[in-house]
Amino acid sequence: MPEITVILPDGSKRTLQEGSTAADLAMDIGSNLAKAAIIAEINGTEVDLLTPLENGSSVNIITGDSEQGLETLRHSTAHVLAQAVLDIYPEATFAIGPPIENGFYYDFAIPNDEAIKEETLEKIEKKMKEIVEADQTFIRGETTVSEALTMFSQHPYKCEIIETAEATEVDDDEIISFYRNGDGFVDLCRGPHVPSTGKLGHFKLMSVAGAYWRGDEKKPMLQRIYGTAWATKKQLKEHLERLEEAAKRDHRKLANELDLLSFPSELGGGLAVWHPKGSQVRKLMEDYSRQRHEDGGYEFVYTPHIANADLFKTSGHLDFYSEGMYPPMEMDNGEYYPKPMNCPMHCLIYRSGTKSYRDLPVRLFELGTVYRYERAGTLHGLMRIRGFTQDDAHIFTTEEGLAEEIGNLLEFVMSVLQAFGFKDFTFNLSTRNPEKSVGSNEIWDHATRALQEALESHGLPFSTKIGDAAFYGPKIDIDVADAIGRSWQLSTIQLDFNLPERFNLRYINSAGERKRPVMIHRALMGSIERFFGVLIEHYAGAFPSWLAPVQVSVLPVAEEHEEYAKEIITELEKENFRVQFVRADNPLGKRIRDVKTQKIPYVLVVGNEDVEAQTIGVNPRGGEVERGIPITDFIARLTKEINDQL
RNA sequence: GCCGGGUUAGCUCAGUUGGCAGAGCACUUCUCUUGUAAAGAAGAUGUCGUCGGUUCAAUUCCGACACCCGGCUCCA
């Protein structure tokens, strides 16, 4: 029997009988690997395990441990989902079903637009389990475009995919591949797949939702079933636990439980009222922001909430973004719009006097409240809201001063966000979209280079998003990772070549010539509301002492200790701590429980022993109870803790 | 805006195949006087999201609207 030799990823060689498949190779290496194997990579191309090997090929056996393996697993699970749905709804037609982060989805059109109910998901899941149980082999087939069109003639979306594939991909030979398993289920697919459905099994259907065909709102809406799938039962369990953890941190739930803010429906969608406790935290956030901006060389400004339509004609907002603006109010001398951005007004402030190059950079800062009309279906707690406040600044600088200003800004952003417990930053540089942008190539090149150099000179790794810039200039977006590893885009630094033109902004340079300043839009928290939502989830509602709306709760053991408790409170209030008194009207355990659910950093308990020794009992959030602490010690400790946090 | 689901006491939720609306927590009062995550008793609490329709009768069935939730689309 002739033999072939293949090369493994570590460079070693392995000899097999001719005609051996990747699966045979996996088995030859070890039965555990054969069991874990999902697909193979031959000479860098992902293929099914049943693909025969050729002499001299480099072969890598892919398992569910790798991203590639998981993707295949999820993709194959999506196939089984489609198989189950078509079994239950024989008249249904199916569209696409790719792997996504943590799972997969598949889009279907059900006859007569019958809705797939959440309850039906259980039925579908049961059917999928049967298919997995049956351990059906995935068999790859290949055919021509015209035959594929016949094969899928009952499925118009599949036909559209085949036709589009023909038009765009132009494979050498226009071969369309498909996979067959079970009793005649066929799906159009590039592959590869797991060898058989028995390899699957650690999955769960999550939800059903509407989704436009090809993501186009002009095209029909299909029904999308989402699922999650993992290589092991443990991974699936852990994923579901992560979802539970995220649900526990949901800012909408916590904002309600902790009495921070609410969205009364009479107020209208996407509009919040801040309760005293939420307002306390917000005030601390804003005070901190103001202090840092003051130290950072910013000048504070205030601008009105509405403006004449002329302003937004000048700025271009009415031309470009009127759909996202609240409708105008008719007034004696024209139309007035609630402002969707602060920048036009900041431009007016800049323009109010002649600027010399010696005045630059001008940094105007405002906690500016803006109103944007977000479509009804897009609203989402504090994360997507119709009225919000930006920690907004506009910096007007010379072209020469740009790189340095950007560099300082990057440092500033990180330094401010660190106070809120964010340590992992990701930087994204967005470059010009030539289809949709203003300004010369020269100015874009120069500005993009300035952004890139600032990132590089500060040693900050970044990814480039080509064509992702706004029409008016390139930008750097900054994402942070929260306490449970989720990423949030918070800060943005955007260059603008458009507004300085439109508002005819100028400064006089050292040679006495009129020059155009460069404008930088930047926000650190972005929207205070959204940032607050992120903070609630990041801290799971347990704000660090410097931010906590109530820092200390003081509980007398019995009524006779109330007087002493109030003396303690007086001492703490002298130090400007935010303190709450809980009178002895309930058993101590009950009162402790009540304040603990409010996630207050310190619960102080005082009883006979404390009155006698002039001490307190300290019950810190997430810590052990300590008895007999002198109040001065506690004050020193809390003061230090807060200073360390900032 | 689109698809699907939802809205009952301050909160979390049960319920009515169309016939006087319920629980737990919270709240009020009283009793208990407490040493680290739920003491006991009594009391009060509702436009059953809004407006219209069907009906002898609607919280329940139908329609429109508002708001919320899961997605899609959008996001200067």
Side-chain angles (χ1 to χ4, degrees), chain A residues 37-58:
Chain A
I38 304 271
I39 51 168
E41 202 175 46
I42 300 181
N43 298 329
T45 305
E46 291 181 0
V47 296
D48 295 317
L49 281 175
L50 295 178
T51 308
L53 301 175
E54 282 173 25
N55 194 35
S57 294
S58 295

Side-chain angles (χ1 to χ4, degrees), chain A residues 175 536 545:
Chain A
I175 283 196
I536 293 171
S545 295

Side-chain angles (χ1 to χ4, degrees), chain A residues 521-536:
Chain A
H521 304 249
R522 44 106 287 173
L524 311 191
M525 302 177 185
S527 144
I528 304 284
E529 282 76 358
R530 181 168 175 276
F531 188 76
F532 185 52
V534 172
L535 280 190
I536 293 171

Side-chain angles (χ1 to χ4, degrees), chain A residues 480-553:
Chain A
V480 303
D482 76 4
I484 56 171
R486 294 173 301 177
S487 177
W488 303 92
Q489 197 218 300
L490 295 180
S491 311
T492 187
I493 299 172
Q494 312 191 349
L495 301 189
D496 190 336
F497 316 133
N498 184 45
L499 285 183
E501 294 281 342
R502 285 177 168 269
F503 282 94
N504 193 23
L505 304 182
R506 290 180 301 209
Y507 68 93
I508 311 292
N509 73 4
S510 57
E513 301 157 332
R514 283 177 170 172
K515 301 285 279 185
R516 191 74 79 204
V518 181
M519 182 173 175
I520 307 169
H521 304 249
R522 44 106 287 173
L524 311 191
M525 302 177 185
S527 144
I528 304 284
E529 282 76 358
R530 181 168 175 276
F531 188 76
F532 185 52
V534 172
L535 280 190
I536 293 171
E537 304 211 355
H538 174 56
Y539 291 127
F543 294 105
S545 295
W546 83 272
L547 268 179
V550 176
Q551 297 167 311
V552 183
S553 239

Side-chain angles (χ1 to χ4, degrees), chain A residues 351-636:
Chain A
R351 207 176 63 178
S352 67
T354 307
K355 298 286 184 289
S356 149
Y357 68 97
R358 292 194 186 89
D359 299 322
L360 268 44
V362 169
R363 304 185 186 96
L364 303 180
F365 175 78
E366 176 177 16
L367 289 167
T369 303
V370 297
Y371 296 90
R372 295 182 184 178
Y373 174 73
E374 302 283 1
R375 297 211 281 180
T378 63
L379 301 172
H380 180 90
L382 286 170
M383 302 305 179
R384 194 76 177 271
I385 200 170
R386 283 180 175 157
F388 59 95
T389 301
Q390 297 176 307
D391 61 333
D392 204 6
H394 296 94
I395 300 171
F396 303 88
T397 185
T398 61
E399 239 178 84
E400 303 77 58
L402 187 59
E404 189 190 342
E405 190 67 21
I406 299 292
N408 293 341
L409 260 173
L410 290 169
E411 295 289 339
F412 186 66
V413 169
M414 289 188 287
S415 152
V416 171
L417 292 184
Q418 266 158 6
F420 296 95
F422 297 118
K423 291 173 195 76
D424 289 347
F425 301 97
T426 310
F427 299 86
N428 293 305
L429 173 64
S430 294
T431 63
R432 182 175 201 176
N433 175 355
E435 306 282 304
K436 202 187 142 193
S437 53
V438 300
S440 67
N441 283 333
E442 290 70 31
I443 194 162
W444 273 86
D445 288 349
H446 171 78
T448 308
R449 221 177 306 121
L451 292 178
Q452 187 169 335
E453 278 166 15
L455 285 162
E456 282 163 357
S457 69
H458 286 75
L460 303 170
F462 61 95
S463 19
T464 304
K465 293 191 172 172
I466 294 161
D468 217 35
F471 75 91
Y472 48 73
K475 64 173 177 177
I476 296 172
D477 287 331
I478 300 156
D479 297 357
V480 303
D482 76 4
I484 56 171
R486 294 173 301 177
S487 177
W488 303 92
Q489 197 218 300
L490 295 180
S491 311
T492 187
I493 299 172
Q494 312 191 349
L495 301 189
D496 190 336
F497 316 133
N498 184 45
L499 285 183
E501 294 281 342
R502 285 177 168 269
F503 282 94
N504 193 23
L505 304 182
R506 290 180 301 209
Y507 68 93
I508 311 292
N509 73 4
S510 57
E513 301 157 332
R514 283 177 170 172
K515 301 285 279 185
R516 191 74 79 204
V518 181
M519 182 173 175
I520 307 169
H521 304 249
R522 44 106 287 173
L524 311 191
M525 302 177 185
S527 144
I528 304 284
E529 282 76 358
R530 181 168 175 276
F531 188 76
F532 185 52
V534 172
L535 280 190
I536 293 171
E537 304 211 355
H538 174 56
Y539 291 127
F543 294 105
S545 295
W546 83 272
L547 268 179
V550 176
Q551 297 167 311
V552 183
S553 239
V554 182
L555 282 63
V557 170
E559 225 169 85
E560 63 197 87
H561 312 118
E562 288 192 358
E563 200 183 319
Y564 179 68
K566 284 180 175 160
E567 286 172 27
I568 297 295
I569 289 174
T570 307
E571 290 301 307
L572 291 166
E573 284 179 340
K574 264 191 228 162
E575 304 294 325
N576 288 322
F577 292 127
R578 298 181 291 279
V579 194
Q580 180 189 59
F581 172 67
V582 180
R583 64 193 188 90
D585 60 349
N586 261 318
L588 183 62
K590 159 74 168 159
R591 286 179 287 142
I592 301 246
R593 180 175 194 278
D594 287 347
V595 292
K596 286 285 181 185
T597 59
Q598 289 300 302
K599 302 178 191 271
I600 293 164
Y602 288 98
V603 178
L604 306 186
V605 174
V606 293
N608 279 333
E609 294 166 28
D610 296 298
V611 175
E612 219 162 279
Q614 294 290 296
T615 57
I616 53 174
V618 178
N619 184 338
R621 185 176 61 200
E624 295 293 314
V625 172
E626 301 161 58
R627 294 278 298 272
I629 308 292
I631 182 69
T632 47
D633 287 11
F634 176 71
I635 287 173

Side-chain angles (χ1 to χ4, degrees), chain A residues 49 52 97 116 164 211 254 276 312 318 321 330 467 505 616 637:
Chain A
L49 281 175
I116 299 173
T164 322
L254 288 171
F312 299 117
L318 274 178
Y321 307 114
E330 300 293 334
L505 304 182
I616 53 174
R637 168 177 167 179

